[in-house]
Amino acid sequence: MTRKMHFGLFLLGTGSHIAGWRVPGAVNTFEDIEAVRRIAATAERGLFDLIFMGDNLNADPAAHPSYTARLEPLTLLSAIAGATTHIGLGGTVSTTYSDPYTVARAFASLDHISGGRAVWNAVTTAAPAAAANFGTLHPDHSKRYEIAGEFLDVVKGLWDCWADDAIVANRETGLYIDPAKVKALDHEGEFFKVKGPLNISRAPQGHPIISQAGGSEPGQQLAARTADIVFAVVQDMAEAQAGYKSLKDRLPAFGRRPEDVTVLPGVMPVVGRTAQEAREKLAELMRFVDAKNALGMLSERFGTDMSAYDLDGPIPDLPEADTYKSFTGVMLAKAKREGGTLRDVYNMVAAARGHWVLVGSAEEVADTLQLWFESGAADGFNVMPPYFPGAFDDFVDLVIPILQQRGLFRTEYEGPTLRHLLGLERPANPNF
Amino acid sequence: MTRKMHFGLFLLGTGSHIAGWRVPGAVNTFEDIEAVRRIAATAERGLFDLIFMGDNLNADPAAHPSYTARLEPLTLLSAIAGATTHIGLGGTVSTTYSDPYTVARAFASLDHISGGRAVWNAVTTAAPAAAANFGTLHPDHSKRYEIAGEFLDVVKGLWDCWADDAIVANRETGLYIDPAKVKALDHEGEFFKVKGPLNISRAPQGHPIISQAGGSEPGQQLAARTADIVFAVVQDMAEAQAGYKSLKDRLPAFGRRPEDVTVLPGVMPVVGRTAQEAREKLAELMRFVDAKNALGMLSERFGTDMSAYDLDGPIPDLPEADTYKSFTGVMLAKAKREGGTLRDVYNMVAAARGHWVLVGSAEEVADTLQLWFESGAADGFNVMPPYFPGAFDDFVDLVIPILQQRGLFRTEYEGPTLRHLLGLERPANPNF
Ligand SMILES: Cc1cc2nc3c(=O)[nH]c(=O)nc-3n(C[C@H](O)[C@H](O)[C@H](O)COP(=O)(O)O)c2cc1C
Ligand SMILES: Cc1cc2nc3c(=O)[nH]c(=O)nc-3n(C[C@H](O)[C@H](O)[C@H](O)COP(=O)(O)O)c2cc1C
């Protein structure tokens, strides 16, 4: 079987471009479940592997007002499970501001409800403002990742408390559960004490899929040990290749093979019928950018007030961010490489919140994606349309068919669960 | 407008009778979303006000094996929101093992997704075994209610952080949120510190509906202060009248009117075409009871190992339960009143987990419900079918039409949100 691309859709209802919602006809709310259902249907028409929803645990209208008010990921995904049939349903939940019993249970429940399509995007939560909503202090970067590591172990352990055949439900004998097939977890670690067993039977996928988006050293280590999908932040191909190799090289140490992890760099495609038209679309989007919002988001990314710096002077020496190491590192590197200014970083944030923007005709976009895919830079892409529905329709209707014609992408879904789409085995249960 | 009955459906997938799942053809899993969708459709066909799902935060196969493995309430309710149009969607979430920011957000999200049909059943969690899954100790009964009171205040406060018209989303000006219309909460109490604002806009219902099921003194006080719906545990009409009056009498002290709270005693209806057939149905159900399961549930209800007591001796002096004061008190009172033994309590638990069992022809069942409704014992009922779908179909198809003919129950839904069905105003927002 030849290697095929994988596609995730980054579901930000108002679009990934900071001002995408201002485009006439664009979805301009992130709280309308019908709009989300239509977007999910388009993604499924495009045979995407998954849709994936980020999350924030605080409301900061300054950062990006159009997604300050949003539906909660698990209720949103569950609501669209019944309106879709094959696509993976990914939701972000924090390991810093949740507890593992609740998280293990919720994703197992979504996996049952969707027939094996749940994805947990495990994040450590970068924004320190979340802490004040939970009556606590924000742990520092390395502590957040220590907590995350144990959290993931507990969740995976809870997913294995029930043998696949634990529920007998024999009407004749009255035996409902085979008691030998349910085990407690009895976890006692540094951060969590969790007895178990979980109060839901084993998930259709065995374990729901884990995705991870941390780009720092501990983030990469955690991903290499625990994740099935890795979302990467990139700005050029050489960097993507280096990140891809770095992640894949870590896998053998954890007894894993390169194909066990699907690496999806984020890309904001701006597709036109011609290259010229695409560039005009991006220019129009940039004209909508509101300086205050963009500066707010820049400050949020760097975890420091950026309005103090001269946008058009040389790039200042900034304190290392404790927040989004991946975004800040990648954007600064690109700006320095190209002799740019802070304004270029600002523009990267305004365009795609720091992700790679790919502008061109459908052929050009397909060419570049193919090049990356065949050059060890990606196993596929996390598509971040600047706005919905138009910009996403363009990608699905214009770019996907070209990739299919070239034999690079599926022409039908391979099976009912997300594991089938990703080519991953259902994990055996070590307890039974 | 004449006063009308309200109906909730207690959604226990395998039925409320401990052995209901053993009936041939009965649903025998609580993890099949399609089965739940069909049940919800029947409830909506019966014009019920709401379906309502209990919850447990631990898996105790001894207590009632058929619902030890269950879907998580919020994902379940969200999944059926799209398959229903008017019925309220009630889910149990604990104030002892959750945090208010997450809970406020999740129910606001469900309210948006369902167009104003979310109900939070706020419980303090009776089963001490939950604590071990959250690395903590189970607070005692009165502490649980102190926490619950503050928890509810925080949640309601978070629901008022956004003015109804805070989102402007003006494409021309670029203003997305009117900053004057979003306020922090800045709560600092004994148990919680929560800054806010919530990261979701105000819910369609303003506040999702609150239900409450605690029967103890602090439980009743909390309900009188905060709840829109009260689920009661009853075994006879005099007791139901006393409980009803006690709850309604508490309301003026909180500036509330009697009609602000809908009191729904739980009832397990066993309906036959004749009284004789109904009695046979119950007898068949009781033959399926497994003594070990029933004793396990009895012990769970009383929070103590009941296998030490002689079921057929006089009713022993039991230590006061720290768990389910409502259930234990009501069942013991009934058994003593009728000169019964512990076996009668055991049978009450086995039949409907301590709730009232009403057996008869459709006419008889309708007569009794009408009598209670007109005698100050109930505003309606929380229907707990012994099994699905048959026993619930019987109620919807045989009893509901009689109540409609008598003008006691709606013949069509009154409006889109649950507040319309309950006759409750949308709460004003005190902040704006
Ligand atoms: C595609 C993508 C989506 C992300 N979504 C979220 C999110 O929803 N919530 C969040 O707190 N962090 C999110 N992040 C940030 C990372 O998961 C991570 O928390 C952050 O980058 C800090 O970790 P790091 O220093 O290891 O990169 C996302 C990152 C990427 C690349
Ligand atoms: C209809 C009904 C449903 C209930 N559902 C739950 C539940 O799902 N989870 C739970 O922990 N307690 C549940 N309870 C128990 C009560 O909410 C309450 O926690 C318990 O009775 C202890 O409080 P009390 O001593 O005030 O009665 C339920 C009670 C009733 C009457």
Side-chain angles (χ1 to χ4, degrees):
Chain A
M1 217 184 72
T2 48
R3 188 170 158 256
K4 293 268 160 77
M5 281 186 187
H6 299 278
F7 279 109
L9 169 68
F10 190 68
L11 180 71
L12 201 52
T14 57
S16 272
H17 189 281
I18 194 170
W21 65 272
R22 295 182 66 180
V23 173
V27 173
N28 69 348
T29 161
F30 198 18
E31 299 184 317
D32 174 358
I33 194 70
E34 284 310 323
V36 176
R37 282 206 188 96
R38 285 192 294 271
I39 293 169
T42 304
E44 204 156 57
R45 173 159 61 81
L47 302 177
F48 272 49
D49 295 71
L50 74 154
I51 57 180
F52 150 61
M53 191 186 165
D55 197 31
N56 267 29
L57 295 175
N58 65 303
D60 179 5
H64 186 167
S66 72
Y67 60 74
T68 291
R70 57 163 85 206
L71 300 174
E72 181 277 331
L74 277 150
T75 39
L76 178 146
L77 295 170
S78 197
I80 58 181
T84 51
T85 56
H86 287 82
I87 201 162
L89 304 168
T92 297
V93 176
S94 169
T95 53
T96 305
Y97 298 103
S98 317
D99 75 86
Y101 196 85
T102 304
V103 171
R105 179 191 193 198
F107 280 97
S109 187
L110 180 62
D111 209 50
H112 279 283
I113 286 169
S114 64
R117 300 189 278 135
V119 183
W120 172 30
N121 184 45
V123 304
T124 54
T125 298
N133 291 326
F134 296 87
T136 178
L137 296 174
H138 195 54
D140 68 27
H141 189 272
S142 71
K143 174 63 67 79
R144 294 202 299 275
Y145 272 109
E146 284 172 44
I147 297 170
E150 189 180 326
F151 196 116
L152 271 146
D153 292 339
V154 173
V155 168
K156 291 190 175 196
L158 287 168
W159 284 337
D160 287 334
C161 286
W162 292 66
D164 285 315
D165 55 355
I167 296 185
V168 180
N170 186 323
R171 295 186 210 266
E172 301 298 312
T173 63
L175 186 70
Y176 196 84
I177 294 169
D178 180 345
K181 302 232 163 134
V182 185
K183 284 224 170 91
L185 176 67
D186 288 322
H187 173 88
E188 296 204 17
E190 193 181 340
F191 303 104
F192 301 105
K193 245 180 94 173
V194 184
K195 186 161 167 44
L198 200 58
N199 53 358
I200 182 166
S201 68
R202 201 155 188 260
Q205 293 189 97
H207 294 183
I209 296 294
I210 306 277
S211 70
Q212 234 268 309
S216 62
E217 175 61 30
Q220 295 247 331
Q221 279 298 103
L222 182 65
R225 182 166 77 80
T226 64
D228 305 300
I229 295 174
V230 167
F231 298 116
V233 185
V234 297
Q235 286 284 351
D236 80 2
M237 191 170 87
E239 191 178 65
Q241 286 168 320
Y244 184 93
K245 182 169 183 318
S246 157
L247 197 275
K248 300 269 175 169
D249 284 351
R250 292 169 198 258
L251 297 175
F254 299 106
R256 308 182 73 196
R257 301 163 311 163
E259 60 270 33
D260 289 343
V261 181
T262 301
V263 177
L264 304 179
V267 59
M268 188 174 104
V270 183
V271 182
R273 273 162 309 167
T274 62
Q276 176 64 15
E277 190 189 82
R279 278 192 299 274
E280 279 161 15
K281 283 186 180 176
L282 181 61
E284 191 201 357
L285 279 163
M286 294 312 280
R287 272 195 302 276
F288 283 129
V289 172
D290 172 281
K292 202 164 124 276
N293 291 343
L295 255 184
M297 172 157 277
L298 189 67
S299 301
E300 192 246 336
R301 286 291 183 221
F302 281 84
T304 186
D305 181 3
M306 299 294 284
S307 61
Y309 298 99
D310 176 6
L311 281 185
D312 297 305
I315 291 180
D317 277 331
L318 292 161
E320 207 202 333
D322 188 64
T323 50
Y324 297 92
K325 291 195 197 298
S326 47
F327 288 100
T328 53
V330 164
M331 291 188 291
L332 287 174
K334 179 175 158 111
K336 284 186 181 153
R337 211 162 47 226
E338 299 177 354
T341 64
L342 206 51
R343 184 171 302 279
D344 295 300
V345 177
Y346 166 98
N347 278 329
M348 288 183 242
V349 166
R353 298 161 305 110
H355 285 283
W356 174 41
V357 181
L358 177 57
V359 189
S361 68
E363 286 286 339
E364 286 170 341
V365 167
D367 288 348
T368 304
L369 297 183
Q370 176 169 3
L371 178 66
W372 283 45
F373 178 67
E374 291 176 344
S375 308
D379 295 316
F381 301 90
N382 189 25
V383 176
M384 308 178 142
Y387 60 90
F388 292 97
F392 184 43
D393 286 341
D394 288 346
F395 187 86
V396 166
D397 297 331
L398 303 177
V399 179
I400 290 286
I402 298 174
L403 298 172
Q404 288 171 324
Q405 279 153 26
R406 296 182 189 175
L408 293 166
F409 189 56
R410 69 171 63 88
T411 52
E412 61 182 8
Y413 279 121
E414 292 92 353
T417 80
L418 180 55
R419 288 191 175 272
H420 291 97
L421 308 191
L422 297 173
L424 295 174
E425 304 269 302
R426 191 168 183 277
N429 191 332
N431 290 327
F432 303 97
Chain B
M1 215 185 75
T2 48
R3 186 171 158 256
K4 294 267 160 79
M5 281 186 187
H6 299 279
F7 279 108
L9 169 68
F10 190 69
L11 181 70
L12 200 52
T14 56
S16 273
H17 189 280
I18 195 170
W21 65 272
R22 294 182 66 179
V23 172
V27 173
N28 69 348
T29 161
F30 198 17
E31 299 184 316
D32 175 359
I33 194 70
E34 284 310 323
V36 176
R37 282 205 188 97
R38 284 192 294 271
I39 293 168
T42 304
E44 205 156 57
R45 173 160 59 83
L47 302 177
F48 272 49
D49 294 71
L50 74 154
I51 57 180
F52 150 62
M53 193 187 163
D55 198 33
N56 266 29
L57 295 174
N58 65 303
D60 178 5
H64 186 167
S66 72
Y67 61 72
T68 291
R70 56 163 85 206
L71 299 174
E72 181 277 332
L74 278 150
T75 39
L76 177 146
L77 295 169
S78 197
I80 58 182
T84 51
T85 56
H86 287 82
I87 200 161
L89 304 168
T92 297
V93 175
S94 169
T95 53
T96 305
Y97 297 103
S98 315
D99 74 88
Y101 196 85
T102 303
V103 171
R105 177 191 194 198
F107 281 97
S109 186
L110 180 63
D111 209 49
H112 279 282
I113 286 170
S114 64
R117 300 189 278 135
V119 183
W120 171 31
N121 183 46
V123 304
T124 54
T125 298
N133 292 326
F134 296 86
T136 178
L137 295 175
H138 195 54
D140 69 26
H141 189 272
S142 72
K143 174 63 68 78
R144 294 201 298 274
Y145 273 108
E146 284 173 44
I147 297 170
E150 189 180 327
F151 196 117
L152 272 146
D153 292 339
V154 174
V155 167
K156 291 190 175 195
L158 287 168
W159 284 337
D160 287 335
C161 285
W162 292 66
D164 285 315
D165 55 355
I167 296 185
V168 181
N170 186 324
R171 295 186 211 265
E172 300 298 312
T173 64
L175 186 71
Y176 196 84
I177 294 169
D178 181 345
K181 301 231 164 133
V182 186
K183 283 222 172 93
L185 177 67
D186 288 323
H187 173 89
E188 297 203 15
E190 193 181 339
F191 304 106
F192 301 106
K193 246 179 94 173
V194 183
K195 188 160 167 42
L198 200 60
N199 52 359
I200 182 166
S201 68
R202 200 155 188 260
Q205 292 189 97
H207 294 183
I209 295 295
I210 305 277
S211 69
Q212 233 268 309
S216 62
E217 175 60 30
Q220 295 246 332
Q221 278 300 102
L222 182 65
R225 184 167 76 79
T226 64
D228 306 299
I229 296 174
V230 166
F231 299 115
V233 185
V234 297
Q235 285 285 350
D236 80 1
M237 191 171 86
E239 189 177 65
Q241 286 168 320
Y244 184 92
K245 182 168 183 318
S246 157
L247 196 276
K248 300 268 175 168
D249 283 351
R250 291 169 199 259
L251 296 175
F254 299 106
R256 308 183 72 197
R257 301 165 309 165
E259 60 269 34
D260 290 342
V261 181
T262 301
V263 177
L264 304 179
V267 58
M268 187 174 104
V270 182
V271 183
R273 274 162 307 168
T274 63
Q276 174 64 16
E277 189 189 82
R279 277 193 299 275
E280 279 162 15
K281 281 186 181 177
L282 182 61
E284 191 201 355
L285 278 164
M286 294 312 281
R287 270 196 303 276
F288 283 129
V289 172
D290 173 281
K292 201 164 125 277
N293 291 344
L295 255 185
M297 171 157 278
L298 189 67
S299 301
E300 192 246 337
R301 286 291 182 219
F302 281 83
T304 186
D305 180 4
M306 299 293 284
S307 62
Y309 297 100
D310 176 6
L311 281 185
D312 297 305
I315 291 181
D317 277 331
L318 292 162
E320 206 202 333
D322 188 63
T323 50
Y324 298 92
K325 291 195 197 298
S326 48
F327 288 101
T328 53
V330 164
M331 291 189 290
L332 287 175
K334 178 176 159 113
K336 284 185 181 155
R337 212 161 47 226
E338 300 178 354
T341 64
L342 205 51
R343 184 170 301 280
D344 296 299
V345 178
Y346 166 99
N347 278 328
M348 289 183 242
V349 167
R353 297 162 305 109
H355 285 282
W356 174 39
V357 180
L358 177 56
V359 189
S361 67
E363 287 285 340
E364 286 171 338
V365 167
D367 288 348
T368 304
L369 298 183
Q370 176 169 5
L371 178 66
W372 284 45
F373 178 66
E374 292 175 343
S375 308
D379 295 316
F381 301 90
N382 189 25
V383 177
M384 308 178 140
Y387 61 90
F388 292 96
F392 184 43
D393 286 341
D394 288 346
F395 187 84
V396 166
D397 296 331
L398 304 177
V399 180
I400 290 285
I402 299 174
L403 299 172
Q404 288 171 324
Q405 279 152 27
R406 297 182 187 174
L408 293 165
F409 189 57
R410 68 171 63 88
T411 52
E412 62 182 8
Y413 279 120
E414 291 92 355
T417 79
L418 180 55
R419 288 191 176 272
H420 291 96
L421 309 192
L422 296 174
L424 295 175
E425 303 271 301
R426 190 168 184 278
N429 191 331
N431 289 328
F432 303 97

